[in-house]
Amino acid sequence: MEKYETAGRFVLGFNNIYHWTDVPSIVSVDYLVLFDPYAKSVPDASSASPGIKIGFSNTSLKSQFPDQMKPYCYFRNAMQNRFKGM
């Protein structure tokens, strides 16, 4: 209990994101990762594989799904090239 910098110290870890959304996502370098624990929104998601990891660098993902990719672009990410962070 002395490690204040530890994630989840007060049991407030990543799982709290499910209070905000049913399908949280993370953009990491070349990938968009979607978590779907209920297997209701992500195609081919199941309880054994509850999500998807999509490579977006050098693809047409942004032009195929412009509405879905638009929120990620607000973070200086073109969703077409490697994301180097903010």
Side-chain angles (χ1 to χ4, degrees):
M1 287 297 215
E2 298 299 320
K3 295 182 180 180
Y4 291 102
E5 69 277 1
T6 303
R9 179 180 185 277
F10 298 102
V11 193
L12 299 174
F14 181 80
N15 286 336
N16 272 338
I17 194 72
Y18 294 107
H19 291 285
W20 293 90
T21 181
D22 290 334
V23 184
S25 60
I26 296 172
V27 174
S28 179
V29 187
D30 294 317
Y31 297 97
L32 170 63
V33 180
L34 302 168
F35 299 98
D36 185 10
Y38 302 109
K40 292 183 178 179
S41 301
V42 174
D44 299 323
S46 66
S47 60
S49 181
I52 190 168
K53 180 178 174 183
I54 304 168
F56 64 81
S57 290
N58 302 315
T59 69
S60 60
L61 190 66
K62 184 179 176 184
S63 61
Q64 288 178 314
F65 305 101
D67 292 338
Q68 288 79 13
M69 297 301 113
K70 189 174 182 178
Y72 302 105
C73 296
Y74 288 112
F75 298 100
R76 294 183 282 178
N77 181 3
M79 293 305 289
Q80 294 173 328
N81 305 312
R82 177 172 274 217
F83 182 56
K84 298 177 183 172
M86 296 179 52

